[in-house]
Amino acid sequence: MQCSDINCNSDSILMKIEALNIKRFFPVDWMGIVTILNEKEIAIVDEIDYCNVESGLIIDLLLNIKVDILNLVQEEKYEVLDNGAFLIIPMMVGNGRKEICVCYSIEKKYEMKDAMLLSLVTKGIWENIRLNNAIIEERNYLSHIYNSVLSSSISTDKNGIITMANKSTTEILGWIPKEIVGRAMLDVITLDNRNTIKIAMDYVLETHNVYHLKRVIQGDKFLDVSVFPLRDDKGSVIGLVALTRDVTKKLIYESEVEQLKQFAVLGQMATEVAHDIRNPLMSIRGCADILKRFLNKEPEYMEFLDPIIGEVDRINEVIEQMLLYATMTQENINTQICINEILVKCVKVIKLQKESKYIKIEKNLSDEMPLFKGNSVQLQQAFINILSNAFQAIESNGHIIIQS
């Protein structure tokens, strides 16, 4: 528990004083923590009433000696007041509040030695509470840091029993920390990975070195696991710490980058092949045109020349498509993209697939489309796939509208 409020501290002081059985050393009929709000107001924060003394009576008696109490608080001195009926021990001055520990005796009178003893006791208890609060605050701070780490962190003792786990363990591994603490690490891990993790744990405990595991499969995730020795202040190994990172997205990204590299290579190959085919193809087309001019009056030969020219033109269209694809795959994929430019290129490619179908493509592209950063190659491929599906769905005649 973190004691940040004075009421919590005051309550702790009274409980600790009573636990010391202070009544063995001097008489106590009533004991409490009192706050002096101002010169006319006194409030009891907490109390222990041993002899049914009314709180109102205590406040009235304290108000009668409030000037002496204020002087004691100001000077931070303890004293016996009201003819020995009260022990007054100043505890804290600050934030407009003056705290005092008060003991009251109905019949027996207090002496200065009693005030000295109670002062030593309250001071020790108060310092102990402040120290505990400082420790708790430091522990809370470290806990916040521990739970802010994006990697899963699980600590075990030398026997493999889980002692701690941070919040990221739930997100990455699906394990709730409070449910796995106290259990054996190997009992929590899936059967497929149990032997691998056991080898890593045994290695670290034996050699005191770090053990790294790459691409561990946990469900639909790929994980990188590093097992470290956990050491105490003297450097002795007292357990293990397993840090786990989810690298699934990283692997997907690397795979996409590799695929894009392959697209670029294919694009380069397509460019080279297209140019190698186009040069002799143009020669064939030119020769066919010359023959056609010379043989245009001989129909029996024309029926061979027209198919040659038609097929050359068709092959040339395929080459144009290959060159356009090569241009698309070699573009910078990490630049600002104009979606309209991509759509226009895709339409040029898809028109080559019309064959004998009569399909009209209408483009209604807005001039106000903003630029954005994205993967131009993947967008082009996606649009081409959509348009191809549209062409295949149309049997003969049709109308495709592209709007942005």
Side-chain angles (χ1 to χ4, degrees), residues 146 157 201 203 206 208 229 255 258 278 288 368-371:
Y146 183 61
D157 60 18
M201 294 173 65
Y203 173 85
E206 182 178 349
H208 299 175
S255 176
E258 184 62 30
R278 171 178 277 182
E368 299 179 356
M369 290 296 293
L371 298 177

Side-chain angles (χ1 to χ4, degrees), residues 190-345:
T190 58
L191 186 61
D192 294 340
N193 296 322
R194 190 169 298 169
N195 187 56
T196 303
I197 298 300
K198 184 179 186 305
I199 292 174
M201 294 173 65
D202 291 343
Y203 173 85
V204 175
L205 288 175
E206 182 178 349
T207 65
H208 299 175
N209 293 322
V210 182
Y211 194 98
H212 298 287
L213 294 167
K214 298 289 186 180
R215 311 298 186 262
V216 176
I217 299 176
Q218 176 86 4
D220 58 351
K221 296 180 179 180
F222 290 91
L223 309 173
D224 281 356
V225 183
S226 297
V227 183
F228 300 84
L230 178 62
R231 303 178 185 273
D232 60 14
D233 294 338
K234 298 179 180 180
S236 301
V237 175
I238 58 174
L240 302 171
V241 178
L243 295 181
T244 304
R245 292 190 306 120
D246 186 351
V247 295
T248 307
K249 292 182 179 179
K250 177 185 175 184
L251 293 179
I252 292 174
Y253 175 76
E254 290 176 350
S255 176
E256 290 178 349
V257 170
E258 184 62 30
Q259 187 178 28
L260 292 175
K261 289 180 180 178
Q262 294 176 4
F263 284 158
V265 172
L266 289 174
Q268 183 63 32
M269 291 176 59
T271 302
E272 295 174 359
V273 171
H275 284 300
D276 289 342
I277 295 176
R278 171 178 277 182
N279 292 334
L281 197 64
M282 291 301 99
S283 298
I284 296 173
R285 180 69 157 78
C287 292
D289 286 336
I290 294 172
L291 288 173
K292 186 175 181 180
R293 285 198 299 270
F294 281 103
L295 301 174
N296 59 355
K297 294 181 180 181
E298 300 183 33
E300 66 272 17
Y301 296 110
M302 293 297 295
E303 63 176 317
F304 298 106
L305 290 176
D306 288 336
I308 291 175
I309 294 173
E311 291 302 316
V312 167
D313 290 340
R314 190 179 68 82
I315 295 173
N316 192 52
E317 287 182 351
V318 174
I319 292 174
E320 291 291 341
Q321 184 177 2
M322 291 175 64
L323 290 173
L324 182 58
Y325 172 78
T327 302
M328 291 167 54
T329 57
Q330 292 170 7
E331 289 180 351
N332 186 356
I333 64 172
N334 293 316
T335 188
Q336 294 292 326
I337 293 175
C338 176
I339 196 71
N340 289 345
E341 291 180 0
I342 293 178
L343 289 171
V344 170
K345 290 180 181 179

Side-chain angles (χ1 to χ4, degrees), residues 377-404:
V377 174
Q378 289 187 345
L379 276 174
Q380 290 162 356
Q381 190 61 51
F383 288 143
I384 288 174
N385 290 340
I386 293 172
L387 289 170
S388 296
N389 291 337
F391 265 87
Q392 293 173 6
I394 298 174
E395 294 184 358
S396 56
N397 299 337
H399 187 191
I400 296 175
I401 300 175
I402 301 173
Q403 185 172 347
S404 66

Side-chain angles (χ1 to χ4, degrees), residues 10-118:
S10 302
D11 180 62
S12 299
I13 289 176
L14 283 186
M15 289 190 297
K16 291 180 182 295
I17 292 175
E18 186 178 30
L20 293 174
N21 195 14
I22 200 72
K23 294 178 67 175
R24 292 180 302 168
F25 305 101
F26 50 76
V28 180
D29 296 322
W30 183 94
M31 177 171 62
I33 303 298
V34 176
T35 298
I36 303 175
L37 303 174
N38 52 53
E39 294 184 356
K40 295 182 179 181
E41 289 185 274
I42 292 178
I44 297 175
V45 178
D46 194 30
E47 63 180 325
I48 299 176
D49 192 346
Y50 297 102
C51 297
N52 296 322
V53 180
E54 294 183 1
S55 300
L57 173 63
I58 296 296
I59 291 177
D60 291 340
L61 293 174
L62 291 175
L63 286 173
N64 291 335
I65 56 174
K66 66 179 183 301
V67 175
D68 294 329
I69 293 175
L70 288 172
N71 290 334
L72 291 176
V73 170
Q74 191 67 31
E75 298 174 8
E76 297 185 3
K77 293 172 57 178
Y78 54 84
E79 188 59 85
V80 176
L81 297 179
D82 197 14
N83 297 321
F86 284 100
L87 287 180
I88 305 297
I89 312 297
M91 289 170 40
M92 183 176 67
V93 179
N95 299 325
R97 302 175 66 166
K98 302 174 177 63
E99 305 290 336
I100 57 174
C101 179
V102 178
C103 285
Y104 175 69
S105 175
I106 298 174
E107 297 181 355
K108 296 184 179 181
K109 305 301 180 182
Y110 291 116
E111 300 178 8
M112 282 300 296
K113 65 178 183 179
D114 300 328
M116 182 183 297
L117 176 61
L118 182 59

